[in-house]
Amino acid sequence: MRIMIVGAGIGGTILANRLARLLAPELQRGEVDVVVLSASPRHLYQPGLLHLALGQTTVDALYRDQRTLLDPRIALLIDEVVAFAPDSKQVRGASGNAYSYDWLVIATGSRVTPEEVPGLAENAHGFYTEAAALRLAQALQAFDGGRVVVTTGVPHKCPMAPLELTFLLQDLFVRRGIAPRVDLLYTYPIGRLHSIEAVAEWARIEFARRGIRSATYFNIAAVDGATRTVHSEEGLSVDYDLLIAIPPHRGADAIERSGLGPRGWVPTHRRLLTMQGRDDVFVLGDTTNLPVSKAGSTARFQAEVIAANLASRVRGGGDTHGYDGKVLCFIETSRDRATYAAFNYAEPPRPHAPSRAMHMAKTFYHRLYWSSLRGFP
Amino acid sequence: MQDDPPVPGGVAVVVDARGSHCPGALMELIVALKHARRGEFLLVLADDPGSAREIPEWLAKVGQRHVSTRSEQGVLHIMVEKTRG
Ligand SMILES: Cc1cc2nc3c(=O)[nH]c(=O)nc-3n(C[C@H](O)[C@H](O)[C@H](O)COP(=O)(O)OP(=O)(O)OC[C@H]3O[C@@H](n4cnc5c(N)ncnc54)[C@H](O)[C@@H]3O)c2cc1C
């Protein structure tokens, strides 16, 4: 029996390592094998991209060899999946190879698609890819004042990123002594500063205190590089000297092309995390179509559920666990303070005042990133 | 118990945002509307009370049509027509 996990990001890696432990006897006896198939031999620590853009870290600190992050009992194959064929229980790689499975887990994450908005790719800075973060780092270094506009497309991963970027930018401008010459404007797609009301309310007070301006109900419609203007769907136009965007996202191209889900989001059972209509395919992390935050913690909690259910299935049982919509997000509010929000389908997030202790917890959590991929409870 | 209003061509897209605190129902609708076709009807299911106000408010700003809102067992059913774009 073969369990095939496509994608070795947070979700795929944690799931594989948990399965290695849960299925130790079966792996030992050769009754089951767990194969991770991923496009890249390197694992990127994505939250580090923000710090790369702000000039606080270097590229080499963000990557590790994927093989070293996986339990030795897990097979790792490097191939980009170009087609999913669930009817024949196969996936096909860019190499031309076809791979068969008994159970498939799709954990291919999400990617930015700035090309969906006219002018965005050409004129906006970003930090969601290594190349974009490096370009932004250079632009920020050269920046000496003017209007900075932060804008956010939907859907996007890491819901805290827009606010986090804005606070850290303001911090950077203060430290460089250019804050009086900077007009920092934060825009957001809905009618408040963040989807979570408590976070939005707290951000409103912080913005007032720090002199950060904002425009809500702002969905990027187009960017005009010649006049340096960004236009919203709601009819607002603002000028910028430096535009930083979190572009809209899609799931993997192969998902869309194989007809598994529009724009690469796979229709997913909200509790069992199986693909709708496919009992032998699980969906993990950013690539589900569930209305939950696309975040590392989401993938982590979902991996626990899928690991337990796959282990049970290998032993002839049924699904014993369900995903309750759990998400946990940290938010860095300055260089030395942080807060967090935890919630699930039933329980809305509750506010917590930013504190130094939470900053320490977040720092610790990030330091622990690589070892947390081992997937220990 | 009433039903959702009958709409020409039926509901093209159901945006099931129940239990969504983040990104939330409006954010889900923004994405769905962007990719819907003009003349299509979208039905949003949401269980956060704020959506009853927020969704029509945003629809008015972008010139899309709010058809109706009703509540059934704590779930809002918000019908939307994509009239432009
Ligand atoms: C700048 C930034 C900051 C962030 N900060 C935070 C944070 O502070 N906290 C938090 O919780 N989350 C944060 N996130 C979000 C978090 O990184 C993602 O939500 C998380 O990585 C999703 O996990 P995943 O397993 O679904 O996908 P990923 O971790 O993105 O992994 C996807 C994997 O699939 C592989 N893959 C893709 N396509 C194919 C294919 N066709 N064939 C084979 N393999 C493929 C990739 O190579 C990769 O290994 C941040 C993201 C960014 C960009």
Side-chain angles (χ1 to χ4, degrees), chain A residues 299-311:
Chain A
R300 189 177 297 275
F301 297 129
Q302 291 178 343
E304 290 172 15
V305 172
I306 296 176
N309 289 345
L310 272 171

PDB file of all heavy atoms in Angstrom, chain A residues 299-311:
ATOM      1  N   ALA A 299      -2.159  24.241   8.495  1.00  0.00           N
ATOM      2  CA  ALA A 299      -1.600  23.034   7.883  1.00  0.00           C
ATOM      3  C   ALA A 299      -1.153  22.042   8.962  1.00  0.00           C
ATOM      4  O   ALA A 299      -1.348  20.833   8.851  1.00  0.00           O
ATOM      5  CB  ALA A 299      -0.426  23.403   6.983  1.00  0.00           C
ATOM      6  N   ARG A 300      -0.571  22.598  10.022  1.00  0.00           N
ATOM      7  CA  ARG A 300      -0.092  21.763  11.135  1.00  0.00           C
ATOM      8  C   ARG A 300      -1.259  21.005  11.794  1.00  0.00           C
ATOM      9  O   ARG A 300      -1.192  19.795  11.982  1.00  0.00           O
ATOM     10  CB  ARG A 300       0.562  22.716  12.136  1.00  0.00           C
ATOM     11  CG  ARG A 300       1.315  22.137  13.261  1.00  0.00           C
ATOM     12  CD  ARG A 300       1.940  23.284  14.069  1.00  0.00           C
ATOM     13  NE  ARG A 300       2.901  24.057  13.285  1.00  0.00           N
ATOM     14  CZ  ARG A 300       4.177  23.716  13.133  1.00  0.00           C
ATOM     15  NH1 ARG A 300       4.645  22.646  13.736  1.00  0.00           N
ATOM     16  NH2 ARG A 300       4.986  24.452  12.415  1.00  0.00           N
ATOM     17  N   PHE A 301      -2.334  21.715  12.124  1.00  0.00           N
ATOM     18  CA  PHE A 301      -3.478  21.060  12.792  1.00  0.00           C
ATOM     19  C   PHE A 301      -4.151  20.061  11.852  1.00  0.00           C
ATOM     20  O   PHE A 301      -4.598  18.999  12.276  1.00  0.00           O
ATOM     21  CB  PHE A 301      -4.488  22.099  13.293  1.00  0.00           C
ATOM     22  CG  PHE A 301      -3.930  23.022  14.349  1.00  0.00           C
ATOM     23  CD1 PHE A 301      -4.047  24.399  14.235  1.00  0.00           C
ATOM     24  CD2 PHE A 301      -3.269  22.504  15.456  1.00  0.00           C
ATOM     25  CE1 PHE A 301      -3.518  25.244  15.215  1.00  0.00           C
ATOM     26  CE2 PHE A 301      -2.738  23.339  16.438  1.00  0.00           C
ATOM     27  CZ  PHE A 301      -2.863  24.718  16.313  1.00  0.00           C
ATOM     28  N   GLN A 302      -4.228  20.418  10.584  1.00  0.00           N
ATOM     29  CA  GLN A 302      -4.857  19.501   9.627  1.00  0.00           C
ATOM     30  C   GLN A 302      -4.010  18.238   9.443  1.00  0.00           C
ATOM     31  O   GLN A 302      -4.547  17.140   9.281  1.00  0.00           O
ATOM     32  CB  GLN A 302      -5.048  20.208   8.277  1.00  0.00           C
ATOM     33  CG  GLN A 302      -6.102  21.311   8.342  1.00  0.00           C
ATOM     34  CD  GLN A 302      -6.268  22.047   7.032  1.00  0.00           C
ATOM     35  OE1 GLN A 302      -5.408  21.974   6.150  1.00  0.00           O
ATOM     36  NE2 GLN A 302      -7.359  22.782   6.892  1.00  0.00           N
ATOM     37  N   ALA A 303      -2.683  18.387   9.465  1.00  0.00           N
ATOM     38  CA  ALA A 303      -1.789  17.241   9.290  1.00  0.00           C
ATOM     39  C   ALA A 303      -2.024  16.208  10.391  1.00  0.00           C
ATOM     40  O   ALA A 303      -1.989  14.996  10.152  1.00  0.00           O
ATOM     41  CB  ALA A 303      -0.332  17.697   9.275  1.00  0.00           C
ATOM     42  N   GLU A 304      -2.299  16.706  11.610  1.00  0.00           N
ATOM     43  CA  GLU A 304      -2.540  15.778  12.725  1.00  0.00           C
ATOM     44  C   GLU A 304      -3.774  14.917  12.445  1.00  0.00           C
ATOM     45  O   GLU A 304      -3.775  13.712  12.695  1.00  0.00           O
ATOM     46  CB  GLU A 304      -2.757  16.563  14.028  1.00  0.00           C
ATOM     47  CG  GLU A 304      -1.492  17.233  14.525  1.00  0.00           C
ATOM     48  CD  GLU A 304      -1.748  18.163  15.702  1.00  0.00           C
ATOM     49  OE1 GLU A 304      -2.821  18.093  16.329  1.00  0.00           O
ATOM     50  OE2 GLU A 304      -0.843  18.980  15.983  1.00  0.00           O
ATOM     51  N   VAL A 305      -4.810  15.548  11.922  1.00  0.00           N
ATOM     52  CA  VAL A 305      -6.062  14.832  11.635  1.00  0.00           C
ATOM     53  C   VAL A 305      -5.841  13.804  10.527  1.00  0.00           C
ATOM     54  O   VAL A 305      -6.236  12.634  10.647  1.00  0.00           O
ATOM     55  CB  VAL A 305      -7.168  15.844  11.222  1.00  0.00           C
ATOM     56  CG1 VAL A 305      -8.408  15.113  10.725  1.00  0.00           C
ATOM     57  CG2 VAL A 305      -7.495  16.775  12.375  1.00  0.00           C
ATOM     58  N   ILE A 306      -5.202  14.233   9.464  1.00  0.00           N
ATOM     59  CA  ILE A 306      -5.007  13.334   8.311  1.00  0.00           C
ATOM     60  C   ILE A 306      -4.090  12.165   8.691  1.00  0.00           C
ATOM     61  O   ILE A 306      -4.344  11.021   8.309  1.00  0.00           O
ATOM     62  CB  ILE A 306      -4.471  14.117   7.092  1.00  0.00           C
ATOM     63  CG1 ILE A 306      -5.517  15.148   6.633  1.00  0.00           C
ATOM     64  CG2 ILE A 306      -4.126  13.170   5.937  1.00  0.00           C
ATOM     65  CD1 ILE A 306      -5.060  16.055   5.497  1.00  0.00           C
ATOM     66  N   ALA A 307      -3.058  12.443   9.481  1.00  0.00           N
ATOM     67  CA  ALA A 307      -2.148  11.371   9.892  1.00  0.00           C
ATOM     68  C   ALA A 307      -2.903  10.306  10.679  1.00  0.00           C
ATOM     69  O   ALA A 307      -2.773   9.099  10.414  1.00  0.00           O
ATOM     70  CB  ALA A 307      -1.006  11.945  10.738  1.00  0.00           C
ATOM     71  N   ALA A 308      -3.726  10.748  11.627  1.00  0.00           N
ATOM     72  CA  ALA A 308      -4.469   9.790  12.458  1.00  0.00           C
ATOM     73  C   ALA A 308      -5.418   8.962  11.596  1.00  0.00           C
ATOM     74  O   ALA A 308      -5.518   7.736  11.754  1.00  0.00           O
ATOM     75  CB  ALA A 308      -5.237  10.539  13.545  1.00  0.00           C
ATOM     76  N   ASN A 309      -6.105   9.624  10.682  1.00  0.00           N
ATOM     77  CA  ASN A 309      -7.099   8.901   9.867  1.00  0.00           C
ATOM     78  C   ASN A 309      -6.436   7.961   8.866  1.00  0.00           C
ATOM     79  O   ASN A 309      -6.940   6.857   8.611  1.00  0.00           O
ATOM     80  CB  ASN A 309      -8.034   9.882   9.169  1.00  0.00           C
ATOM     81  CG  ASN A 309      -8.981  10.543  10.160  1.00  0.00           C
ATOM     82  OD1 ASN A 309      -9.125  10.061  11.293  1.00  0.00           O
ATOM     83  ND2 ASN A 309      -9.606  11.629   9.756  1.00  0.00           N
ATOM     84  N   LEU A 310      -5.320   8.368   8.294  1.00  0.00           N
ATOM     85  CA  LEU A 310      -4.624   7.469   7.366  1.00  0.00           C
ATOM     86  C   LEU A 310      -4.088   6.240   8.099  1.00  0.00           C
ATOM     87  O   LEU A 310      -4.190   5.114   7.606  1.00  0.00           O
ATOM     88  CB  LEU A 310      -3.471   8.208   6.669  1.00  0.00           C
ATOM     89  CG  LEU A 310      -3.849   8.957   5.384  1.00  0.00           C
ATOM     90  CD1 LEU A 310      -2.684   9.831   4.920  1.00  0.00           C
ATOM     91  CD2 LEU A 310      -4.246   7.983   4.267  1.00  0.00           C
ATOM     92  N   ALA A 311      -3.539   6.462   9.299  1.00  0.00           N
ATOM     93  CA  ALA A 311      -3.011   5.340  10.070  1.00  0.00           C
ATOM     94  C   ALA A 311      -4.140   4.362  10.382  1.00  0.00           C
ATOM     95  O   ALA A 311      -3.982   3.136  10.278  1.00  0.00           O
ATOM     96  CB  ALA A 311      -2.345   5.833  11.345  1.00  0.00           C
TER      97      ALA A 311
END
